[in-house]
Amino acid sequence: MGAYVAGGSEFNRDTNYIATRITADGRDGYPVEPGRYRLIVARACPWANRMIIVRRLLGLEDVLSIGFCGPTHDQRSWTFDLDPGGVDPVLKIPRLQDAYFARFPDYPKGITVPAIVDVPTGQVVTNDFMQMTLDLSSEWAAYHRDGAPALYPEPLRAEIDEVARRVYTEINNGVYRCGFAGSQGAYESAYDRLFSALDWVSDRLATQRYLVGDTITEADVRLFTTLARFDPVYHGHFKCNRSKLSEMPVLWAYARDLFQTPGFGDTTDFVQIKQHYYMVHTDVNPTGIVPKGPDLANWLTPHGREALGGRPFGDGTPPGPTPPGEQVPVGHGAG
């Protein structure tokens, strides 16, 4: 997150990312190797949050290290202000842009997270968030933990891709289309598109526990990170206010079901989420004031979705405890 193009009154996301891939056969020059790469994220960012969730569900923590940027950034770059001295302890850089410039000295685009960096060279490999989670599921399969779920199972890939595409264009990106609209007409059109899509996923989820099949897949990860940010940020900050998530019964139960599943709620940092949006988007919120609400304890209430059946991890098992140093800080979650 961090790059967008405001063309006219409608918000358009710049989707021309670094398309290099880390693959099992190394065809782009970057073979999958344990310990070679570092995933750089910010907990605030929904696209980065997806990578955090998938890495945890698949058990890749010991294979792919992780570095956390702080929740805010300036015009230049995400920064490592959570680390001692403001420097990433592995890459030894204060700004993520240093890894981008190491590979592309004249890199002209936004410095976005998530990004994967090649530790030996200090160079960014990819920031293509649409492909990165899929590759963790497929190209990194040899290093998945025992009991890792199939988040992108081959028989369901076409349907997952189709659902994920609509979730991305209409919901993940739809909230931004509302928030950064430059005219009343553009905003109202974006608002209608967003809630039409939320009604669509709500109808789909009314009779099935997960978006595709009877287990958690990539499609659910992609929808969850937007739903988690809906009431704390998008409802007010981005004017997505037809209703709160907590007022949409099916989606609210679905979101709580996932939140209470290991890998989802335990990677969600509501404090950093609110700090990022309300402090960085000074064009939307010039005062930089971060709202105190909403009360988040309701995320932990019973959801009743078990009645729809489904098996969260299929034939697999839940991930183990969050590794030391990767836990969401106390007081930053729900409850």
Side-chain angles (χ1 to χ4, degrees):
M1 186 166 68
Y4 67 89
V5 177
S9 61
E10 291 191 5
F11 166 82
N12 293 288
R13 184 174 298 279
D14 182 353
T15 55
N16 188 13
Y17 293 93
I18 302 168
T20 309
R21 291 173 62 187
I22 300 169
T23 57
D25 63 6
R27 57 186 177 273
D28 286 358
Y30 294 96
V32 170
E33 290 180 22
R36 174 172 171 176
Y37 304 99
R38 186 159 177 83
L39 170 63
I40 303 301
V41 296
R43 291 194 188 276
C45 168
W47 327 112
N49 197 173
R50 286 172 11 185
M51 282 292 284
I52 300 171
I53 292 169
V54 170
R55 171 180 172 272
R56 175 149 155 64
L57 294 181
L58 299 178
L60 291 169
E61 293 98 335
D62 292 336
V63 178
L64 175 64
S65 73
I66 195 166
F68 295 95
C69 296
T72 62
H73 59 76
D74 56 23
Q75 292 296 315
R76 291 164 57 200
S77 174
W78 292 89
T79 53
F80 294 100
D81 44 301
L82 301 177
D83 290 306
V87 173
D88 180 83
V90 172
L91 300 175
K92 309 298 185 187
I93 55 176
R95 290 177 167 272
L96 181 55
Q97 72 176 16
D98 296 338
Y100 279 70
F101 293 161
R103 184 173 175 202
F104 304 107
D106 300 315
Y107 190 73
K109 306 169 79 62
I111 307 299
T112 61
V113 291
I116 296 181
V117 178
D118 180 42
V119 175
T121 62
Q123 297 180 357
V124 67
V125 179
T126 183
N127 65 344
D128 187 357
F129 67 88
M130 298 290 260
Q131 189 63 46
M132 288 162 71
T133 47
L134 302 181
D135 283 347
L136 288 189
S137 280
S138 53
E139 302 295 333
W140 293 71
Y143 299 100
H144 290 178
R145 66 178 175 87
D146 291 339
L151 299 177
Y152 196 48
E154 295 211 25
L156 297 178
R157 285 185 183 180
E159 186 178 1
I160 291 171
D161 290 345
E162 180 183 352
V163 171
R165 190 176 304 114
R166 188 168 179 186
V167 166
Y168 169 71
T169 59
E170 302 303 301
I171 299 174
N172 300 147
N173 209 36
V175 292
Y176 285 83
R177 201 179 291 114
C178 291
F180 289 111
S183 71
Q184 187 70 32
Y187 160 70
E188 292 185 8
S189 173
Y191 175 103
D192 291 342
R193 277 182 68 177
L194 169 65
F195 282 98
S196 174
L198 287 171
D199 289 342
W200 164 70
V201 287
S202 181
D203 289 345
R204 186 180 181 95
L205 290 165
T207 55
Q208 61 190 66
R209 191 169 177 187
Y210 304 111
L211 280 171
V212 181
D214 67 348
T215 64
I216 292 168
T217 67
E218 173 80 19
D220 298 295
V221 177
R222 294 188 181 207
L223 179 57
F224 171 80
T225 58
T226 294
L227 297 182
R229 287 155 178 76
F230 202 87
D231 288 2
V233 175
Y234 303 144
H235 179 271
H237 183 59
F238 280 173
K239 307 180 184 69
C240 302
N241 64 349
R242 188 191 76 179
S243 47
K244 297 176 182 174
L245 174 65
S246 59
E247 296 165 347
M248 295 183 269
V250 171
L251 290 182
W252 177 223
Y254 165 81
R256 297 199 319 278
D257 186 5
L258 290 177
F259 187 88
Q260 295 169 29
T261 299
F264 289 85
D266 55 23
T267 63
T268 302
D269 186 321
F270 289 114
V271 170
Q272 289 194 26
I273 286 168
K274 291 198 298 183
Q275 288 174 336
H276 171 75
Y277 286 93
Y278 287 103
M279 295 171 71
V280 171
H281 298 160
T282 53
D283 48 346
V284 178
N285 187 41
T287 63
I289 293 171
V290 180
K292 287 184 70 173
D295 182 2
L296 301 167
N298 54 2
W299 277 98
L300 302 177
T301 57
H303 53 77
R305 297 279 293 178
E306 303 95 342
L308 292 172
R311 301 173 300 147
F313 298 102
D315 295 328
T317 57
T322 305
E326 296 187 17
Q327 297 101 334
V328 171
V330 174
H332 285 214

